[in-house]
Amino acid sequence: LQKSLNETFGADKYSEARKEVLTNMFSRPMQMALYFCTGVLEDETLFRHYALNVPFYTHFTSPIRRYADVLVHRLLSASLGASPPLKMEKEAIQKQADHCNDRKMASKRVQELSADLFFSIFVRVRA
């Protein structure tokens, strides 16, 4: 996709801006990753990572960034036997996952609205 975009937009002074806008528009409809507790979901096909084509996948970043990552680190550590099991029921873990998903979706929506507002102001000022 990136190669195709580069070839399509040429080399004029607006080509980079057109490419960036369309790349942003193409990525918006992509399905966002969701946090979930595997002990709650029975359908293992939901554990699959489509783009990487792997049947079981977990994602996390540094645990200093987000609570969801702290939880994933603790669960992974316990499942590998490196730390004691968490004293949380799977339903409580799923409730935390749902909350993290809600906050992530709200944050993404605010980010999109902010970009839309900035673009509207930019167009108004330039018109």
Side-chain angles (χ1 to χ4, degrees), residues 58 78 87 104 120:
T58 190
K87 295 181 173 149
K104 185 168 71 166
S120 298

Side-chain angles (χ1 to χ4, degrees), residues 2 5 18-28:
Q2 192 67 32
L5 287 174
R18 284 193 303 267
K19 183 174 69 172
E20 191 167 328
V21 167
L22 285 176
T23 300
N24 186 326
M25 290 173 70
F26 290 153
S27 66
R28 275 190 183 184

Side-chain angles (χ1 to χ4, degrees), residues 108-123:
K108 183 166 177 51
R109 183 69 181 135
V110 168
Q111 179 183 2
E112 290 171 353
L113 290 170
S114 174
D116 291 347
L117 176 63
F118 176 78
F119 183 70
S120 298
I121 293 169
F122 176 78
V123 169

